[in-house]
Amino acid sequence: MTATLHAPLPYCDRTIECRVSMGVALYPDTLCPDHLLPDHGSTIDELMKHADIALYEAKNSGRGRAVLFEPALLESWQREARMLDRARQALAHGSPEPWYQPKVHLTTGRIIGFEALLRGTHADGSPLVPTDVAAAFEHAELGRAITDRMLAGVIADCQRWQAAGIDIGHVAINVSGIDLYDDGFADRLLGRLADARVPTRMIELEMTESVFLGRNADSVGRTLYRLSQAGLSIALDDFGTGYASLSHLKQFPIDIIKIDQRFVRELQTNPDDAAIIRTVLSLA
């Protein structure tokens, strides 16, 4: 069926390329004595819900394909829905906010900057960490709201430290694809920094290489070059975890490579990790 639906469509002496994503849920086959076909629901509402979940998976996994519903997809969907709900609740109750982890120069022991970590509280008062709301970072509305809240806190803190004459170096903050796909993100961020009189050199943006994948790479490139030319540092986080490509280091204005901790953790005991680290340092 997908091959038929993907076939080019002739229209007015033109050929139109067609793509379709499908989610499939099966009604129990009462005529099949061995019950070889799965049962994805016995009501229209159940079948439509499960087909929609399968469609969501088809779109998330690359589009242009058909996905058959299975219980694991429902569990994944429910887990993601809980994350989005936690994020909405956290934003409604005044969090998240930045907590700061110092960056220490290993030779001098001097603090050279900080990384802004997302922290907050759930409605019941328990602590909130990024893994609790991971799905929200790529949500069009919630992802932007979280980044906006974090940037507001970081810029306000930088403004206060600067007024007090405290040299904190820089603050690194994570941004997602949702932020960088937005062509207006760079100008808004630069405008906020200018209004607060916070130098661009005080801000470092961190992202993973997943932001370079897909159809939005050109948009990401424009945003990063705009910010880089304005004086912000660009850091590539989790380098070496599977998306790493040397072309990204050449194509985009990357200032800093952050090697994933799974390679650093056993640096002194695992010769393979040591070899990888040496290679990445030489590459950098």
Side-chain angles (χ1 to χ4, degrees), residues 159-176:
Q159 185 181 38
R160 186 164 54 251
W161 293 326
Q162 187 174 233
I166 302 172
D167 181 10
I168 56 95
H170 67 273
V171 176
I173 182 170
N174 289 278
V175 290
S176 68

Side-chain angles (χ1 to χ4, degrees), residues 15 137 148 150 207 214 236:
T15 299
F137 299 136
D148 185 73
M150 290 289 288
M207 68 216 67
L236 196 56

Side-chain angles (χ1 to χ4, degrees), residues 232-276:
L232 280 78
S233 295
I234 309 298
L236 196 56
D237 203 0
D238 296 338
F239 188 81
T241 55
Y243 293 115
S245 169
L246 298 183
S247 65
H248 294 154
L249 302 182
K250 178 180 178 180
Q251 183 179 357
F252 299 99
I254 307 299
D255 301 298
I256 297 156
I257 294 174
K258 295 186 66 178
I259 302 171
D260 187 74
Q261 62 174 317
R262 73 189 67 181
F263 300 114
V264 180
R265 187 183 298 117
E266 299 179 4
L267 175 61
Q268 291 183 305
T269 59
N270 188 324
D272 290 337
D273 287 348
I276 290 171

Side-chain angles (χ1 to χ4, degrees), residues 35-83:
H35 300 287
L36 298 178
L37 294 177
D39 178 359
H40 294 157
S42 57
T43 68
I44 290 293
D45 288 342
E46 285 182 335
L47 289 169
M48 291 299 294
K49 175 184 176 180
H50 293 165
D52 194 46
I53 290 172
L55 174 61
Y56 182 80
E57 176 65 18
K59 291 179 177 179
N60 271 358
S61 56
R63 297 179 178 270
R65 64 190 65 194
V67 171
L68 181 65
F69 174 80
E70 56 185 44
L73 293 180
L74 177 59
E75 295 171 9
S76 176
W77 179 83
Q78 291 172 333
R79 183 168 57 252
E80 183 172 320
R82 287 193 294 270
M83 289 182 181

Side-chain angles (χ1 to χ4, degrees), residues 66 95 103 109-110 115 130 135 164 174 208 216-217 229 231 245 255 263-264:
S95 61
K103 295 183 176 183
R110 186 171 63 89
E115 181 172 357
N174 289 278
T208 63
N216 295 302
Q229 290 167 357
S245 169
D255 301 298
F263 300 114
V264 180

Side-chain angles (χ1 to χ4, degrees), residues 76-91 95-96 117-139 142 146:
S76 176
W77 179 83
Q78 291 172 333
R79 183 168 57 252
E80 183 172 320
R82 287 193 294 270
M83 289 182 181
L84 298 181
D85 186 59
R86 290 189 201 111
R88 292 187 184 96
Q89 293 295 323
L91 288 165
S95 61
L117 307 177
L118 182 149
R119 294 293 185 270
T121 55
H122 293 288
D124 62 4
S126 60
L128 178 143
V129 295
T131 52
D132 295 336
V133 294
F137 299 136
E138 298 300 333
H139 186 277
L142 295 174
I146 290 173

Side-chain angles (χ1 to χ4, degrees), residues 94-108:
S95 61
E97 59 186 6
W99 287 24
Y100 297 98
Q101 174 176 286
K103 295 183 176 183
V104 179
H105 193 292
L106 294 181
T107 302
T108 65

